[in-house]
Amino acid sequence: GESVGLHLPTLSVQEGDNSIINCAYSNSASDYFIWYKQESGKGPQFIIDIRSNMDKRQGQRVTVLLNKTVKHLSLQIAATQPGDSAVYFCAGHYGGATNKLIFGTGTLLAVQP
Amino acid sequence: EAGVVQSPRYKIIEKKQPVAFWCNPISGHNTLYWYRQNLGQGPELLIRYENEEAVDDSQLPKDRFSAERLKGVDSTLKIQPAELGDSAVYLCASSPRTGVGSYGYTFGSGTRLTVV
């Protein structure tokens, strides 16, 4: 069925370390995947996306890796900062007439100073 | 640019009462979405509009939920009557048009509804 799930509900890291947040998906019909950051009291904020025909994409301090063989997605944050503390969601986008996002449960990233 | 604007930010009502949420999307965005986010969960789509037409309302509990997007701009989402299980954050999002990719898919801050 359509589902996108996360491996870990909470991730605690030291400031300056790299963070890796993982996500598994079950439906291969997504045309792209997106990582969102959600701070308390705010809506999800776009971080980075990756098309389903790619396996890696880099942004500023963030890298998304897509492994279609095992249906796994990860978000790597370099030099994690206190401002990175938030809940992170992966979402699969289903395009065409469907055009909707299927979100996972979320991972809370806690950055320790 | 103001982004997607939602109001109110918070709402507390007694069960069986009606409630309405309002959303103003980004100017020029043809597609508007309402999502519901339960505590600790990812958002789930309730309804999607293309201009003023509701093109996907399959997840909207139509016995008590209704939505409209008159003139293809602002939208309202209504619950009548509200139940305890409706307590959640209701998020509005908009995008330029269907199928343009994830950039431009912008969420508002949401309305946190508490039903007591």
Side-chain angles (χ1 to χ4, degrees):
Chain A
E2 295 179 294
S3 68
V4 180
L6 298 179
H7 290 305
L8 298 173
T10 305
L11 178 64
S12 184
V13 300
Q14 291 295 125
E15 181 179 357
D17 287 351
N18 296 333
S19 302
I20 299 177
I21 301 172
N22 296 303
C23 176
Y25 62 94
S26 59
N27 192 318
S28 300
S30 294
D31 54 359
Y32 56 89
F33 297 89
I34 312 161
W35 281 100
Y36 285 93
K37 172 185 180 183
Q38 188 172 24
E39 297 174 285
S40 180
K42 297 183 179 180
Q45 177 186 2
F46 172 84
I47 301 173
I48 190 169
D49 65 354
I50 185 168
R51 296 204 69 87
S52 59
N53 61 357
M54 300 171 64
D55 53 19
K56 181 179 180 179
R57 190 174 187 204
Q58 288 184 294
Q60 186 176 13
R61 284 203 305 120
V62 295
T63 300
V64 56
L65 300 177
L66 175 61
N67 186 329
K68 293 180 287 294
T69 301
V70 296
K71 297 183 180 179
H72 182 268
L73 189 70
S74 69
L75 176 70
Q76 301 177 5
I77 304 174
T80 312
Q81 303 169 359
D84 295 327
S85 295
V87 176
Y88 288 79
F89 293 96
C90 66
H93 178 268
Y94 299 86
T98 305
N99 187 27
K100 66 179 180 182
L101 297 175
I102 304 294
F103 284 83
T105 303
T107 292
L108 173 61
L109 176 64
V111 182
Q112 308 301 322
Chain B
E1 190 173 85
V4 177
V5 179
Q6 291 188 246
S7 68
R9 288 298 312 276
Y10 306 93
K11 190 73 176 179
I12 301 175
I13 62 170
E14 294 183 343
K15 62 182 181 182
K16 299 184 182 180
Q17 294 302 305
V19 64
F21 316 122
W22 175 80
C23 173
N24 179 238
I26 291 175
S27 179
H29 280 195
N30 299 324
T31 309
L32 183 146
Y33 316 77
W34 283 102
Y35 281 81
R36 176 168 60 187
Q37 185 174 26
N38 293 312
L39 187 64
Q41 303 292 316
E44 296 177 323
L45 181 70
L46 291 173
I47 189 169
R48 171 170 64 95
Y49 281 92
E50 297 292 343
N51 298 303
E52 67 276 6
E53 182 182 1
V55 296
D56 183 359
D57 63 357
S58 58
Q59 301 303 310
L60 189 73
K62 299 181 185 62
D63 57 335
R64 298 183 298 107
F65 285 65
S66 64
E68 62 182 12
R69 192 185 183 197
L70 301 176
K71 301 181 181 179
V73 182
D74 294 1
S75 177
T76 57
L77 177 69
K78 299 177 181 178
I79 309 175
Q80 182 171 10
E83 297 179 352
L84 294 177
D86 296 331
S87 295
V89 175
Y90 291 83
L91 293 163
C92 179
S94 68
S95 65
R97 67 178 186 273
T98 300
V100 292
S102 59
Y103 42 87
Y105 201 118
T106 306
F107 284 86
S109 294
T111 296
R112 180 176 295 277
L113 173 67
T114 302
V115 183
V116 298

